Amino acid sequence: KPSNRRLIASLIILTFLAFWIWAAGSIGSALSDAPRWLTLLFFIAAGLGWAVPLRPVLRWMNSGQEDTD
């Protein structure tokens, strides 16, 4: 049986990623008149940056006791 910790963390991650994608798309659209290099840097940062805020959630999710049945 999967632990509740993993279920809760999965819901947090999915909710956060939905917000992150919406925010990145909205900001990216606002950068349509910006120089290409700035838009590229933004999307590289947005593409890699989602993992940093989720790091504590991922650690918490994997810190529970594993069942050894």
Side-chain angles (χ1 to χ4, degrees), residues 5-7 13 18 20 29 37 49 57-59 62 66 68:
R5 187 179 292 237
R6 291 194 181 199
L7 175 64
I13 291 168
W20 189 270
S29 294
W37 64 269
V57 175
L58 294 170
R59 261 195 218 131
N62 292 314
E66 291 293 325
T68 56

Side-chain angles (χ1 to χ4, degrees), residues 3 5 9 16 19 24 28-29 31-32 36 40 52-53 63-64 67-68:
S3 71
R5 187 179 292 237
F16 177 81
F19 170 75
S29 294
L31 291 176
S32 62
R36 284 234 187 254
L40 177 65
V52 174
S63 68
D67 292 335
T68 56

Side-chain angles (χ1 to χ4, degrees), residues 14-67:
L14 288 174
T15 302
F16 177 81
L17 286 177
F19 170 75
W20 189 270
I21 291 167
W22 170 80
S26 296
I27 295 168
S29 294
L31 291 176
S32 62
D33 294 332
R36 284 234 187 254
W37 64 269
L38 183 61
T39 305
L40 177 65
L41 284 178
F42 168 75
F43 279 111
I44 289 172
L48 297 174
W50 64 269
V52 174
L54 287 178
R55 193 173 231 183
V57 175
L58 294 170
R59 261 195 218 131
W60 174 76
M61 177 178 74
N62 292 314
S63 68
Q65 292 287 338
E66 291 293 325
D67 292 335

